Amino acid sequence: MIPKLPSPDSSLAFLREGYTFISSRCDRLGTDLFRTRIAGRPVYCMRGAEAAQIFYDGDRFSRKGALPPTVVHLLQDKGSVQTLDGAAHHHRKAMFTAMMAPESIARIGSIFEDVWCRRTAGWSGKPVVLHEEARWMLTAAACEWAGIPQPDAVVDRRAAEFGLMVDQAGSFGPANWWAQLRRRSTERWAQGIVSAIRSGSLEVSPTSAAGLVAGHRDPEGQLLPVDIAAVELLNVLRPIVAVARFITFAGTALVEHPQWRQQFAGGSDDDRADLEPFAQEVRRFYPFFPAIAGTVLKDFSWNGHDFRPGSWVMLDIYGTNHDSRLWPDPEAFRPERFRTWDDNPYRLVPQGAGQVSTAHRCPGEGLTLELVKTAVRLLAEGGYGVPAQDLSISLSQLPSIPRSGLLLTAAGPAGRGTV
C-alpha cells in the first residue's frame, strides 16, 4: 500500500517548502513513493535513481496536462517538443540534438567568452548583479550562436523577457500575467525571424540553430507553422539564458569555497582539469528545477503499485540529486566526487534523466557544462571584487537564486574577497 499524506491537500505545504517538499516526506515515511493532492488533483510523488529510470524510460509518461497552463506557456508552450510523445517527439527532438555537435558546443563557449570580455570591460567600480549580467551575456551569445546576432538594444529587451519566463514560471497572479504578456512580444520577434529566414530576406546557415528550426519539417514533410517554429526557436534560446542561474551558483561556490577559485586562477591545464567536476557539482548541489511532472500513458507497475493511464506523477529532481544513498554527504559541496563519475543517467538529474536520444532528457546538458566551465574560468581569472552581501539561498523560492544575485565589482579585493 502506498503511503498517503493525511492532509487533504498539499498545495500550501509545497509552496512553503519548495525544493524539499517531496524528499522530506519520503524520509519521514521511509518510502520513495507516496500519494497526496496538489491543487485538488491526486498526485504520486517519487524520488531516487530507480524512480528516475521509471519516469524517463519506456515512454510511460506524457508531459501533456502535467503542468499548469501558465507554466507550460512560459517554459514550453503548446505544440513544442516537450508536449509531444512517441515518434513525433523523437522526430522533433532530433532537430535539437543536431544543434549539439561537439564543435557547436565549443563554438558557443568561445562566443560567450567574447561577449563576457566585451561586457565586463564596461563594468566600473559600482557593483553589478552577476545573475542579471549573465542573462544579458547569454542572450547575446545565444542569438549569435543561433545565427541571428542582435544589437545591444534588442538584447536588453530579450534578456529581460527571457528572464521573466524563468523567474515567474512558478508564480501566480499579476506577476505571472505580466511575464506571459511580455512573452507574447518575444514570440512576435521570433515569428518575424522565422518568416524572414523562410522568405530569404534574412540569410542564415541552414545548419545554424535558427536555420534548423526555420527549415524543420514534420514527419509528413511539412514545414512547422510559423508560430510553432517560433516557439521552438525560443525553446533553443530561453534554456541557454536560464544557465545564468547555474553561473550565479558557480560564482557563489567560488566565493564560499575559495580554494577552487585559487586553483582555477592558476591557468594551467592541470589547474583546469577540475572545471568539469566543479560544474557538475554545481548542477547537483544547487537548486534548479525542484521536480518534473508527467501523466501516465500506459499501464505499468512499480514499487508494488499499478499505475493507470491519466495518473499524475511528480519526480523529485532536487531530492534525487541530494539522495544520500546516491551521493555520500550530499549537503556538502564536493566537486572531487565527479573525478571518477560513472555518468549514470539516473543519479545526476538536474536537467532530466535517461538517454537524450530516446527520452525527454534535455539535449543541451553539454552546452550547459561548456558555458558554466567557461564562466567559472573567467570568474576565477578575473579577480572580481565581492562586496558584503546576502548569498543565502531559499529552498522555498521557486526557482531559487542567491538573495543578492551575487554582487561583483570590476576587480580587486572588496568586502568578502574576490571571485
Side-chain angles (χ1 to χ4, degrees), residues 89-128:
H89 175 260
H90 298 317
H91 180 82
R92 183 81 62 82
K93 190 170 184 179
M95 172 184 70
F96 289 89
T97 56
M99 303 173 190
M100 301 301 163
E103 60 271 18
S104 182
I105 291 174
R107 180 171 171 267
I108 197 170
S110 178
I111 292 171
F112 177 62
E113 182 167 358
D114 290 344
V115 174
W116 178 288
C117 293
R118 175 166 64 90
R119 183 72 171 181
T120 57
W123 290 3
S124 63
K126 184 179 179 180
V128 298

Side-chain angles (χ1 to χ4, degrees), residues 235-275:
N235 285 335
V236 174
L237 301 175
R238 186 204 65 257
I240 294 174
V241 178
V243 175
R245 269 188 155 72
F246 281 134
I247 288 174
T248 305
F249 287 137
T252 301
L254 290 174
V255 172
E256 296 182 338
H257 306 276
Q259 71 274 20
W260 291 104
R261 181 199 63 79
Q262 294 163 8
Q263 175 179 325
F264 297 139
S268 71
D269 289 342
D270 287 343
D271 293 329
R272 294 175 178 175
D274 280 328
L275 277 174

Side-chain angles (χ1 to χ4, degrees), residues 49 155 228 240 411 413:
V155 173
I228 299 300
I240 294 174

Side-chain angles (χ1 to χ4, degrees), residues 211-340:
L212 288 169
V213 170
H216 182 73
R217 294 181 181 272
D218 66 21
E220 287 71 45
Q222 300 299 311
L223 288 171
L224 297 177
V226 171
D227 59 334
I228 299 300
V231 163
E232 297 296 36
L233 181 57
L234 299 187
N235 285 335
V236 174
L237 301 175
R238 186 204 65 257
I240 294 174
V241 178
V243 175
R245 269 188 155 72
F246 281 134
I247 288 174
T248 305
F249 287 137
T252 301
L254 290 174
V255 172
E256 296 182 338
H257 306 276
Q259 71 274 20
W260 291 104
R261 181 199 63 79
Q262 294 163 8
Q263 175 179 325
F264 297 139
S268 71
D269 289 342
D270 287 343
D271 293 329
R272 294 175 178 175
D274 280 328
L275 277 174
E276 182 147 335
F278 186 91
Q280 291 284 37
E281 180 71 344
V282 166
R283 294 172 68 234
R284 182 202 71 83
F285 180 78
Y286 289 99
F288 195 58
F289 287 117
I292 188 72
T295 54
V296 175
L297 280 175
K298 56 188 178 183
D299 292 315
F300 72 92
S301 298
W302 180 68
N303 212 6
H305 179 72
D306 296 328
F307 289 83
R308 302 302 184 194
S311 298
W312 189 32
V313 179
M314 292 177 63
L315 173 68
D316 186 0
I317 295 292
Y318 182 80
T320 300
N321 286 333
H322 286 255
D323 188 337
S324 61
R325 299 166 300 179
L326 306 175
W327 307 101
D329 198 10
E331 301 310 317
F333 183 81
R334 291 174 45 196
E336 59 271 19
R337 71 174 86 235
F338 284 99
R339 289 171 179 163
T340 56

Side-chain angles (χ1 to χ4, degrees), residues 5-19 21-22 25 34-43 45 68 170 172 312 314 396 398:
L5 299 186
S7 172
D9 191 278
S10 296
S11 302
L12 292 178
F14 180 77
L15 292 174
R16 182 175 62 249
E17 299 177 34
Y19 289 87
F21 169 78
I22 296 177
R25 282 151 183 80
F34 66 87
R35 294 182 295 164
T36 187
R37 285 178 177 267
I38 292 180
R41 183 180 178 184
V43 61
C45 297
F172 301 92
W312 189 32
M314 292 177 63
S396 63
L398 300 175

Side-chain angles (χ1 to χ4, degrees), residues 30 57 74 82 97 165 183 200 203 216 253 283 367 389 395:
D57 286 1
L74 286 180
Q82 287 291 346
T97 56
M165 292 178 205
R183 180 183 165 107
E203 294 186 7
H216 182 73
R283 294 172 68 234
L367 184 149
Q389 60 192 284
L395 294 180

